[in-house]
Amino acid sequence: MHSFLSRSNTIFAFTLSVLAALTFGCFLSTFFDANQADVILRSGKAQVKSVREMGSSGERSDLGYLTLDMKTNMNRIFNWNVKQLFLYLVAEYKTDKNPINQVVLWDRIILRGENANIDLNDISPKYYFVDDGQGLKGNDNVTLTLYWNVIPNAGILPHIGGHGQHKIRFPDEYAPSTRG
Amino acid sequence: MGLLELSCLDEVRRMDKRQLYYQFLNFAMIVSSALMIWKGLMVVTGSESPIVVVLSGSMEPAFHRGDLLFLTHDRSEPITVGEIVVFKVEGRDIPIVHRVIKLHGNEKGAHFLTKGDNNLVDDRGLYAPGQMWLTEKDVVGRARGFLPYVGMVTILMNDYPKLKYIVLATLGIFVLIHREN
């Protein structure tokens, strides 16, 4: 009963049980959090160009240009069970070809401890805003929403959409190409 | 160590045929319970792989090698952008855990593009030659839950297969020899 092996076995089993209970408690304590925040989104200078995507069958696609303003404070979402927030800005719109389109224009990782105050002005999207087709020209209902994915220390991975969407409108004509 | 072996085997020697059958039955119960739990999880989550271990660092700093992910695959709920999906490229067996960054489609089906958070480029280089998009049939599941570090055991056992056999053999022998008093 008191051999070295049985003692170390008991200690090991107890350690694992305590760790499991703590992890479960960590998960449960933040399970019902709303993780919501208000976001102020603005945009400027929306333009469309027609490009040929490499690798495709040579069809032309619409490429959207715009500048973005973003202001939000994520500090109150961080707690002991949030390891990281993955923020991503999504443009959602309908086209004739595809009723559902969701494109990530910009993303950022905020780790726990970093400054979670976002105040960006006049930035360009991080990723090309290319449509699967030519549905951006003249599209007057492209909705921008800031979402974030809460990465916990242990638990569920929710995706939350921020309060405060922004609608942009692309012009009916293509912007003049810089090349001939 | 020698004394220990003798004291364990003492119990075995004291067992009659009925006891020995009982020990084997105990062992079989443990194995089939584990199998039932695993298959049950597969049914409840709808995913063929309800628990996966993160194998690469392409999703750091969110997921590191050795972390555990819980997947569900509710086919009635459409995949949305930003979700972390686990997919298999046709012809390859390794599941990849990346995030959906572009999605186009309708209620019947969608095609989408993925990218690892820690990668600079999207996954088109990982797809099959000529494949530009993923579809629902490539998806194994969506990451819904996360547990850090626990999957390291699986990675160690895969990198050192001898370790896997030693652990399994030791556990098996222990269950067969040990008798609940």
Side-chain angles (χ1 to χ4, degrees):
Chain A
M1 181 58 213
H2 301 296
S3 68
F4 172 74
L5 219 58
S6 67
R7 282 187 206 186
S8 47
N9 178 43
T10 312
I11 293 175
F12 183 62
F14 187 61
T15 310
L16 280 185
S17 312
V18 169
L19 273 174
L22 278 175
T23 308
F24 185 70
C26 204
F27 145 66
L28 211 59
S29 62
T30 56
F31 183 69
F32 297 106
D33 283 358
N35 296 312
Q36 255 299 355
D38 291 325
V39 185
I40 300 175
L41 288 169
R42 302 258 181 276
S43 73
K45 258 198 315 174
Q47 287 184 316
V48 198
K49 287 201 184 157
S50 185
V51 295
R52 199 165 295 175
E53 262 209 299
M54 49 174 188
S56 283
S57 41
E59 288 167 13
R60 302 197 78 92
S61 310
D62 280 357
L63 171 61
Y65 286 93
L66 67 159
T67 59
L68 299 163
D69 293 347
M70 206 183 306
K71 199 170 155 64
T72 180
N73 192 341
M74 301 264 133
N75 274 312
R76 17 175 246 119
I77 300 184
F78 280 96
N79 55 47
W80 58 88
N81 200 21
V82 176
K83 183 165 81 170
Q84 164 194 321
L85 280 183
F86 186 87
L87 297 144
Y88 52 103
L89 185 71
V90 180
E92 288 168 280
Y93 57 96
K94 277 200 221 311
T95 64
D96 294 329
K97 186 178 175 201
N98 296 308
I100 301 173
N101 298 279
Q102 300 164 348
V103 179
V104 171
L105 299 182
W106 174 94
D107 60 37
R108 178 184 275 196
I109 293 175
I110 306 180
L111 292 170
R112 188 151 119 238
E114 285 178 3
N115 181 17
N117 222 334
I118 309 266
D119 192 359
L120 301 164
N121 291 303
D122 246 1
I123 58 165
S124 292
K126 210 168 165 191
Y127 305 107
Y128 284 123
F129 189 173
V130 182
D131 182 33
D132 178 30
Q134 304 184 286
L136 289 181
K137 183 174 76 152
N139 199 322
D140 61 355
N141 194 357
V142 178
T143 311
L144 295 178
T145 317
L146 185 66
Y147 288 88
W148 48 92
N149 188 193
V150 180
I151 315 275
N153 278 318
I156 54 168
L157 297 157
H159 298 262
I160 321 280
H163 283 139
Q165 298 180 316
H166 180 69
K167 207 158 80 159
I168 54 178
R169 223 185 152 279
F170 279 110
D172 296 326
E173 299 293 324
Y174 286 127
S177 187
T178 46
R179 278 182 240 150
Chain B
M1 225 16 219
L3 256 152
L4 211 64
E5 275 177 49
L6 276 175
S7 69
C8 279
L9 290 179
D10 264 348
E11 295 229 347
V12 181
R13 266 183 245 125
R14 262 184 258 133
M15 290 184 207
D16 55 1
K17 256 207 304 201
R18 238 171 142 206
Q19 270 296 114
L20 276 173
Y21 285 143
Y22 183 80
Q23 293 300 114
F24 274 100
L25 204 64
N26 209 17
F27 180 72
M29 276 293 283
I30 293 175
V31 170
S32 37
S33 302
L35 200 65
M36 280 198 294
I37 292 174
W38 181 251
K39 292 290 175 185
L41 265 178
M42 277 171 68
V43 169
V44 163
T45 61
S47 164
E48 63 175 56
S49 210
I51 302 178
V52 292
V53 176
V54 176
L55 297 170
S56 75
S58 56
M59 281 294 279
E60 290 190 11
F63 307 142
H64 297 262
R65 213 170 111 86
D67 291 338
L68 215 66
L69 285 174
F70 297 93
L71 310 179
T72 62
H73 197 183
D74 186 357
R75 282 161 181 88
S76 64
E77 230 183 273
I79 296 177
T80 57
V81 86
E83 280 190 321
I84 302 170
V85 294
V86 180
F87 60 92
K88 282 194 185 153
V89 178
E90 224 164 312
R92 271 170 247 167
D93 232 359
I94 316 166
I96 304 175
V97 185
H98 283 171
R99 197 183 293 271
V100 176
I101 57 166
K102 271 191 187 179
L103 188 137
H104 304 278
N106 50 47
E107 306 79 44
K108 275 184 264 125
H111 50 268
F112 44 90
L113 180 62
T114 57
K115 174 181 161 303
D117 290 349
N118 208 19
N119 294 345
L120 288 169
V121 295
D122 58 43
D123 288 346
R124 288 222 165 105
L126 290 174
Y127 300 163
Q131 184 184 8
M132 297 286 285
W133 305 93
L134 286 179
T135 54
E136 251 121 52
K137 64 173 178 56
D138 299 309
V139 174
V140 167
R142 289 174 245 202
R144 291 276 191 237
F146 167 77
L147 207 55
Y149 311 125
V150 177
M152 252 321 189
V153 181
T154 312
I155 290 188
L156 280 174
M157 295 219 281
N158 271 326
D159 285 349
Y160 307 107
K162 288 208 188 89
L163 184 66
K164 178 162 57 170
Y165 298 134
I166 292 175
V167 168
L168 284 176
T170 312
L171 281 174
I173 292 172
F174 187 75
V175 171
L176 283 170
I177 290 180
H178 179 74
R179 182 160 68 132
E180 301 284 330
N181 286 324

